[in-house]
Amino acid sequence: MNPQITPYSGTETKKEQVASMFNNISGTYDFLNHFLSLGIDIIWRKKAIKELLSSRPQKILDVATGTGDFAFESIKILNPEQIIGVDISEGMLEVAKKKIAERNLGHVFSVEKGDSEGLHFEDNTFDAITVAFGVRNYENLEKGLTDMFRVLKPGGKVVILEFSKPRVFPIKQLYHFYFRYATPFFGGLFSKDKKAYAYLEESVQAFPDGKNFTALMEKVGYQNTKHRSLTFGISAIYTGIK
């Protein structure tokens, strides 16, 4: 990931800017996710989580957990003993905490402030690690993948859901138009932070998707990596084993 792709101009690091961006949009994040994706993001999450059905992990780490939607879906589908969500945005975590309390899931799901590139967990702690629409925001993608690998148990599985770049006409052209113009317009209208949604398209363009990403996963140690495109290549599921 190109570290120069940041949400805002300024002297703050990408990590600091991403945290500020998500703090700014945390109140409207869930609504805009579903609105801008026409609800397809819900289907994508379910497909990604089902990659873990065969292994039935009991202890899961959800990195860049945001407001917790990926973890909540994991609880429904996988029924694990414990999920810990980490995120650098306190605003997003506050929303997640409210949702955990409303659903009485505090005995299963907890969240804490955490950095994907410096996770505060012992080596070989988790049966599985999940990330939904988060890895493209890492300041140092390789470092983040490496630290996730460190805290994953041998034989454990990582599942990453991320936007990708369609390459087939006319999906490619429609996708670029929607992300470049419609997404910032509606994102700015509802969240009052147009730059955050302009950054979305820029960050997707800069992200090394497809085989480039699985090659990076393999470089840091993941084995049996797989890449599965969804909805004409608009997003993709990546998996790997430690």
Side-chain angles (χ1 to χ4, degrees):
M1 175 85 185
N2 183 348
Q4 301 306 313
I5 302 297
T6 57
Y8 312 109
S9 57
T11 58
E12 297 91 349
T13 65
K14 176 176 181 177
K15 196 174 297 182
E16 291 168 337
Q17 290 194 34
V18 166
S20 294
M21 177 187 75
F22 282 113
N23 286 339
N24 292 342
I25 66 175
S26 59
T28 55
Y29 181 79
D30 285 342
F31 164 73
L32 280 169
N33 254 5
H34 306 325
F35 176 78
L36 293 172
S37 72
L38 307 178
I40 298 172
D41 64 304
I42 299 170
I43 298 170
W44 291 339
R45 285 185 177 87
K46 288 179 180 179
K47 286 180 181 290
I49 291 159
K50 286 178 180 178
E51 293 284 342
L52 293 171
L53 268 174
S54 61
S55 56
R56 290 284 180 183
Q58 293 304 299
K59 189 169 184 177
I60 301 172
L61 176 65
D62 188 39
V63 180
T65 195
T67 64
D69 275 1
F70 208 34
F72 289 124
E73 203 62 54
S74 294
I75 292 168
K76 287 181 189 176
I77 295 172
L78 302 173
N79 193 29
E81 290 179 3
Q82 182 184 26
I83 296 184
I84 299 175
V86 297
D87 202 283
I88 61 173
S89 166
E90 292 179 354
M92 297 287 273
L93 291 175
E94 285 305 310
V95 176
K97 288 174 184 176
K98 289 177 184 176
K99 290 162 72 173
I100 291 168
E102 288 167 358
R103 302 174 194 197
N104 296 314
L105 289 172
H107 61 291
V108 180
F109 183 24
S110 62
V111 295
E112 59 189 69
K113 190 172 182 181
D115 181 355
S116 60
E117 297 165 26
L119 297 164
H120 298 298
F121 302 104
E122 297 293 326
D123 296 359
N124 310 317
T125 297
F126 297 96
D127 301 315
I129 296 178
T130 58
V131 193
F133 308 114
V135 290
R136 74 179 189 286
N137 297 319
Y138 289 5
E139 188 167 76
N140 186 319
L141 182 55
E142 184 172 335
K143 189 176 179 182
L145 289 173
T146 300
D147 210 45
M148 286 160 52
F149 184 83
R150 176 184 67 79
V151 302
L152 188 63
K153 288 180 181 178
K157 189 172 187 178
V158 65
V159 177
I160 296 168
L161 175 63
E162 189 53 88
F163 287 113
S164 57
K165 299 181 282 289
R167 291 168 170 82
V168 179
F169 177 86
I171 303 301
K172 176 181 176 180
Q173 288 73 18
L174 291 170
Y175 174 89
H176 286 313
F177 177 84
Y178 186 74
F179 264 62
R180 184 161 294 177
Y181 301 106
T183 300
F185 173 77
F186 288 110
L189 184 66
F190 290 104
S191 74
K192 310 305 179 187
D193 191 341
K194 186 176 180 179
K195 287 185 178 179
Y197 286 90
Y199 162 78
L200 173 60
E201 195 263 346
E202 294 167 357
S203 66
V204 172
Q205 290 304 312
F207 182 71
D209 61 349
K211 291 181 180 179
N212 291 326
F213 186 62
T214 53
L216 184 58
M217 291 176 68
E218 290 165 6
K219 180 183 177 183
V220 303
Y222 296 98
Q223 300 178 352
N224 301 328
T225 61
K226 294 180 182 177
H227 159 234
R228 176 185 172 194
S229 290
L230 302 173
T231 316
F232 308 107
I234 293 173
S235 70
I237 299 169
Y238 302 92
T239 59
I241 305 293
K242 179 172 179 179

